[in-house]
Amino acid sequence: RNVDADGNVNDETEINGIGPKINNEAIDLLYSQIDTLQENDILVLSGSVPSNLPHTIYKDITHRLKNKNIKIVVDAPKDLLVNTLENNPFLIKPNKHELEEIFDVDKTDPSFLRLKIYWPQFRIFLLFLKQFLKFSCNFFSKLSLNWSVACLL
């Protein structure tokens, strides 16, 4: 379990404990519930997973739903997030700390400090860019044009 406590001072305290052990029966139940999702439903995959689950579980879930037109939002640390990208989630929400891990950022690098200042604007830009590219890919594919840009979003 993970508990974040925010005080009035710009401090945050994280209390992390050992998560529960998830047995195969519970995993099968989860997958059977996931299989009931229908077109245009939204699934949010968020946070870390218990240590006895495969570190590919979010990737496995997104792959399972890839052709069902489910909107999947992923808010997870490093590999749990990155592994889902090949299945084109609808939205990813890495925070600054997760981006630092993913891109192995040196916090003393001056370019990192610029990223820190402009991150909120950059994040909004990325969201708009993703939606624009999704629209463009759909538009051009409906026109049966051969668009050379990889429509991975």
Side-chain angles (χ1 to χ4, degrees), residues 32 97 130 150:
S32 68
H97 174 71
K130 179 177 180 178

Side-chain angles (χ1 to χ4, degrees), residues 6-143:
D6 238 336
N8 290 333
V9 196
N10 290 325
D11 266 344
E12 185 175 297
T13 302
E14 259 188 55
I15 303 168
N16 293 306
I18 298 172
K21 296 283 186 208
I22 308 297
N23 61 31
N24 288 338
E25 184 179 302
I27 294 171
D28 291 341
L29 178 61
L30 172 66
Y31 279 123
S32 68
Q33 290 174 334
I34 285 172
D35 289 339
T36 66
L37 292 172
Q38 298 175 9
E39 186 173 350
N40 294 318
D41 281 347
I42 298 172
L43 174 66
V44 177
L45 301 173
S46 180
S48 58
V49 296
S51 60
N52 72 307
L53 289 181
H55 214 65
T56 59
I57 189 147
Y58 287 173
K59 174 186 174 183
D60 300 340
I61 291 169
T62 56
H63 180 74
R64 188 178 190 114
L65 298 173
K66 189 173 185 175
N67 296 319
K68 289 185 77 174
N69 199 20
I70 307 292
K71 291 179 175 36
I72 302 174
V73 178
V74 182
D75 177 12
K78 198 172 181 175
D79 291 338
L80 283 171
L81 172 76
V82 172
N83 290 340
T84 66
L85 296 179
E86 69 187 57
N87 296 313
N88 307 316
F90 174 72
L91 179 71
I92 60 171
K93 196 221 70 70
N95 60 33
K96 184 174 68 70
H97 174 71
E98 290 161 349
L99 284 175
E100 292 167 11
E101 284 182 340
I102 291 167
F103 293 106
D104 195 25
V105 172
D106 175 6
K107 293 181 184 179
T108 61
D109 185 338
S111 61
F112 169 74
L113 298 176
R114 285 193 295 278
L115 174 65
K116 186 175 179 180
I117 292 168
Y118 294 110
W119 172 240
Q121 296 89 341
F122 182 66
R123 196 162 123 193
I124 291 168
F125 168 76
L126 288 177
L127 292 174
F128 281 113
L129 178 63
K130 179 177 180 178
Q131 290 305 330
F132 171 76
L133 289 176
K134 280 177 101 169
F135 169 79
S136 298
C137 290
N138 289 335
F139 177 76
F140 285 111
S141 66
K142 286 178 183 169
L143 293 177

